[in-house]
Amino acid sequence: MTRLNELRLISRVAQMYHLEGRRQAEIAQHLRLSQATVSRMLKRAEAEDIVRTSVIPPVGTYSELEGALREKYDLPEAIVVECTEDRDGAIMARIGEAAAHLLEVTLAPGEIIGVSSWSQTIFKMVENIHPQKSAQAKYVVQTLGGMGDPSVQTHATQLTTRLARLTGAEPKLLSVQGVTSSREAKLLMQADPFVRETMDLFGSITLAIVGIGAVEPSELLARSGNIFSSRELADLAEAGAVGDISLRFFDKDGRPVKTPLDERVIGLPLEDLQRVDRVIALAGGAKKTDAIAGALRVGVIDTLVTDKFTAHRLVDQISRFI
């Protein structure tokens, strides 16, 4: 009976603390115990399974799906957002909202943010960010060349400069083509002092925000002119590519797909992205499922923000490439 009497007192201490909201000092005085004894009893209450911690996720959140993504892909963090339609426009909007909140609450003072500028989902994120006053970034660095069709070029510039303004940072633009005509043209463009100044910051990026693309380019990227030809894209697919991060391609297992085309891209390489302290990827949609799965296996992504439909496919669907 001694143990039962002991557990009864422990239970009463736990009841007063957790259910009645009393402070430890008040409990100690009421029960004529020392405060140290009350503290020990509260720890014992957990050890004896008298007190159990329950986390009840709110409706519209998906903690089990997030946990399944973390486990399957060895992913540090996943954010799965509610979405009523499995449609690209709706998915991009919801992912953008969630990513904006994530950036606002986790932005550290003096961050150097690298941003992939040819992403409609990242643009949606920027649209939802509130101006930051306390934690302000130092630079926002464009990590993929943006010159192309003038009617679309403003997208990349606006995304970078607007994000910089909202985060109190200085924008660093990469005002060259994302895809050059040749390796020699790339070397010539990279020799420009202003281009060099931006690219020299790649090694100092502390937070990278990236999109994930399928081998078939998005409508925005296709209109920009910063793409490879149909024949070149077919060659990439034949080489095993399933997707890209800033036009750096990878296969279903996350291995980089290196072709001569890679030497024509002006932007942040996957090897440099690997060294960034925190990489947030924004992506969703049926057409990108295999690309996202491959990207997660590259091993550079720290947080994936996606929608519930894509998350289910990533966890449950057997890829057509396996």
Side-chain angles (χ1 to χ4, degrees):
M1 293 296 290
T2 302
R3 173 173 165 76
L4 188 57
N5 289 329
E6 184 181 17
L7 293 178
R8 182 182 294 110
L9 182 56
I10 291 172
S11 180
R12 175 59 182 147
V13 168
Q15 181 186 44
M16 294 176 73
Y17 184 76
H18 291 286
L19 300 182
E20 298 175 14
R22 301 198 191 190
R23 294 173 299 172
Q24 291 188 27
E26 185 183 355
I27 297 169
Q29 183 179 10
H30 182 80
L31 296 178
R32 302 297 191 272
L33 300 170
S34 71
Q35 193 166 333
T37 299
V38 170
S39 180
R40 285 196 298 271
M41 285 186 171
L42 288 172
K43 291 178 182 177
R44 275 284 303 279
E46 294 185 15
E48 296 286 354
D49 215 19
I50 294 169
V51 172
R52 302 177 186 179
T53 302
S54 296
V55 178
I56 303 174
V59 174
T61 64
Y62 300 92
S63 58
E64 288 188 7
L65 260 180
E66 291 168 352
L69 284 171
R70 291 195 300 267
E71 182 177 356
K72 180 172 182 177
Y73 295 98
D74 194 24
L75 180 66
E77 283 300 328
I79 295 174
V80 175
V81 301
E82 168 68 351
C83 195
T84 57
E85 301 177 78
D86 192 3
R87 183 175 54 82
D88 288 349
I91 286 170
M92 287 189 290
R94 299 290 83 78
I95 291 176
E97 291 170 359
H101 178 263
L102 175 65
L103 182 63
E104 288 175 359
V105 299
T106 63
L107 184 67
E111 292 255 40
I112 297 178
I113 304 172
V115 62
S116 176
S117 54
W118 293 105
S119 168
Q120 291 169 289
T121 310
I122 295 177
F123 196 81
K124 291 293 184 184
M125 177 199 76
V126 174
E127 285 184 332
N128 284 279
I129 293 174
H130 299 90
Q132 300 299 290
K133 295 181 180 179
S134 54
Q136 294 192 331
K138 186 175 182 180
Y139 298 116
V140 172
V141 182
Q142 186 177 335
T143 57
L144 177 64
M147 297 296 288
D149 185 330
S151 66
V152 186
Q153 162 59 25
T154 52
H155 175 98
T157 303
Q158 286 180 354
L159 190 156
T160 305
T161 55
R162 187 174 178 183
L163 180 58
R165 184 173 67 253
L166 290 167
T167 57
E170 180 183 346
K172 292 293 184 179
L173 299 174
L174 195 57
S175 299
V176 288
Q177 290 176 296
V179 179
T180 63
S181 58
S182 65
R183 182 176 180 275
E184 291 71 25
K186 172 183 173 178
L187 294 174
L188 184 63
M189 291 179 188
Q190 288 183 159
D192 180 276
F194 293 104
V195 173
R196 193 72 263 155
E197 181 183 358
T198 296
M199 295 188 71
D200 284 345
L201 287 170
F202 285 177
S204 302
I205 292 172
T206 58
L207 166 61
I209 303 170
V210 302
I212 299 170
V215 174
E216 188 68 27
S218 68
E219 179 188 349
L220 177 70
L221 193 58
R223 285 192 291 127
S224 77
N226 284 289
I227 59 170
F228 301 117
S229 68
S230 298
R231 178 65 258 173
E232 290 168 333
L233 292 172
D235 290 341
L236 279 166
E238 288 176 14
V242 297
D244 76 280
I245 297 175
S246 297
L247 296 183
R248 306 297 184 175
F249 291 85
F250 47 80
D251 66 13
K252 66 181 179 66
D253 297 314
R255 292 186 296 255
V257 174
K258 294 286 188 180
T259 72
L261 302 179
D262 195 61
E263 296 182 358
R264 290 165 46 200
V265 174
I266 297 181
L268 184 70
L270 287 177
E271 302 81 50
D272 289 357
L273 193 62
Q274 180 77 58
R275 292 189 282 270
V276 175
D277 184 56
R278 185 164 61 121
V279 178
I280 301 174
L282 282 53
K287 295 178 182 178
K288 291 187 177 182
T289 302
D290 288 303
I292 297 169
L296 292 175
R297 295 185 177 105
V298 173
V300 300
I301 296 170
D302 298 291
T303 301
L304 171 69
V305 186
T306 192
D307 64 281
K308 67 176 182 180
F309 301 108
T310 304
H312 276 297
R313 285 189 291 266
L314 288 168
V315 170
D316 300 329
Q317 179 179 306
I318 299 176
S319 169
R320 69 178 184 271
F321 294 100
I322 296 175

